[in-house]
Amino acid sequence: MKSLAGKRAFVSGATSGIGEACAHRLAEAGADLVLHGRDPAKLETLKSALSEYGVVIDTLSFDVRDRQAAEAAMHALLEDTVIDILVNNAGLALGLSPVDAGDVDQWEEMIDANIKGLLYVSRAVIPQMRSRNCGHILNIGSIAGKMTYPGGNVYCATKSAVHALTEAMNIDLAGTAVRVGNIAPGAVETNFSTTRFSGDKAQADAVYEGYEPLYADDIADLALYILQAPQHVNIQDVLIMPTAQRNPYVLSRNG
Ligand code: 8X3
């Protein structure tokens, strides 16, 4: 029997990168899925791609930054759907300017998606997990939440918040069977940098040049390891870096 058969996982930001890789690994492990994203067409494409696994797949399209939309969609979903696993993956980085030259619109977008969006979705799901005394939440943090690097300012702050919220959820759910984990990756080659540099592919590609970064599948493999751990094991925080990158400042290119 597949290890996550009979479980249902909600993956936010499932249409690309780490979210998409997690969706594949979860389906492969037998979990039914609720795939979240902003773009209904991309969600349908992903749903079709996952059909080979034979699991039940629902899609839910809303912008996590939109509180009303998030609350309405999650409320409707949870009326007749049980969520066993929540992967809080939706989020983004925008810009790399010093704080005195930062773009306030970009700050708001990151804060709204990375912190507030995660909270809106979690606020909806956690009461059901608590009342069933069952559930596993995985928050996708970042090395940026552990070490602040030049130009990272607001993005780093949002990922620090994800780490703090992971600790807070664990504390607040003490005494229940609900587990909460944080995965903090270093450089992962996805559309992350293309988004950060507003579509500038050359600038994005340069981030991953001269060394082997992590891939989205590496993070999904770790996510599955955490989610498949026995019930008495709560893996609360994992830093995962490319071998070539020991921290944001120590990166060995061409070596
Ligand atoms: C992704 C890692 O170092 O680009 O969050 O911020 S980093």
Side-chain angles (χ1 to χ4, degrees):
M1 178 167 143
K2 293 188 173 182
S3 60
L4 296 179
K7 305 264 187 212
R8 182 177 281 102
F10 182 103
V11 182
S12 74
T15 53
S16 66
I18 293 171
E20 184 178 4
C22 286
H24 275 273
R25 286 287 194 272
L26 285 160
E28 197 176 31
D32 296 329
L33 292 170
V34 180
L35 304 171
H36 159 269
R38 275 185 295 176
D39 183 337
K42 284 188 185 168
L43 285 169
E44 282 311 308
T45 304
L46 178 59
K47 182 176 171 174
S48 306
L50 296 173
S51 63
E52 60 172 297
Y53 297 111
V55 297
V56 176
I57 301 177
D58 295 305
T59 62
L60 200 57
S61 167
F62 63 89
D63 186 337
V64 291
R65 297 171 300 172
D66 181 338
R67 177 178 166 185
Q68 274 190 333
E71 286 176 351
M74 294 306 295
H75 180 75
L77 172 75
L78 291 161
E79 267 183 5
D80 59 6
T81 304
V82 164
I83 301 297
D84 303 286
I85 294 166
L86 167 60
V87 180
N88 274 318
N89 165 71
L92 76 173
L94 291 170
L96 209 51
S97 303
V99 74
D100 48 307
D103 179 323
V104 178
D105 288 335
Q106 292 187 334
W107 291 356
E108 301 224 49
E109 203 170 331
M110 288 188 280
I111 291 166
D112 287 352
N114 301 2
I115 306 177
K116 292 164 76 176
L118 179 146
L119 282 169
Y120 300 151
V121 173
S122 303
R123 177 65 182 84
V125 172
I126 292 173
Q128 188 194 61
M129 288 184 169
R130 187 191 284 280
S131 73
R132 294 177 63 234
N133 196 32
C134 172
H136 205 155
I137 301 167
L138 256 191
N139 296 325
I140 305 300
S142 170
I143 179 64
K146 295 179 183 288
M147 288 185 79
T148 305
Y149 52 78
N153 45 66
V154 175
Y155 176 68
C156 295
T158 64
K159 290 299 179 176
S160 291
V162 173
H163 295 187
L165 289 169
T166 304
E167 289 183 2
M169 289 176 190
N170 267 310
I171 292 164
D172 293 346
L173 288 162
T176 76
V178 182
R179 295 174 283 174
V180 189
N182 180 71
I183 295 180
V188 187
E189 190 170 19
T190 61
N191 60 358
F192 174 86
S193 291
T194 311
T195 302
R196 167 170 258 173
F197 298 121
S198 305
D200 185 332
K201 187 89 173 52
Q203 211 179 349
D205 287 348
V207 172
Y208 308 110
E209 258 165 33
Y211 70 101
E212 185 161 21
L214 296 169
Y215 305 107
D217 280 346
D218 298 319
I219 310 307
D221 286 343
L222 174 59
L224 264 286
Y225 180 85
I226 294 170
L227 293 169
Q228 290 169 332
Q231 176 59 40
H232 69 283
V233 177
N234 182 18
I235 301 174
Q236 296 193 18
D237 191 17
V238 182
L239 176 65
I240 174 169
M241 304 292 289
T243 303
Q245 184 193 36
R246 301 305 162 115
N247 72 32
Y249 303 97
V250 180
L251 174 62
S252 309
R253 293 190 198 257
N254 302 312

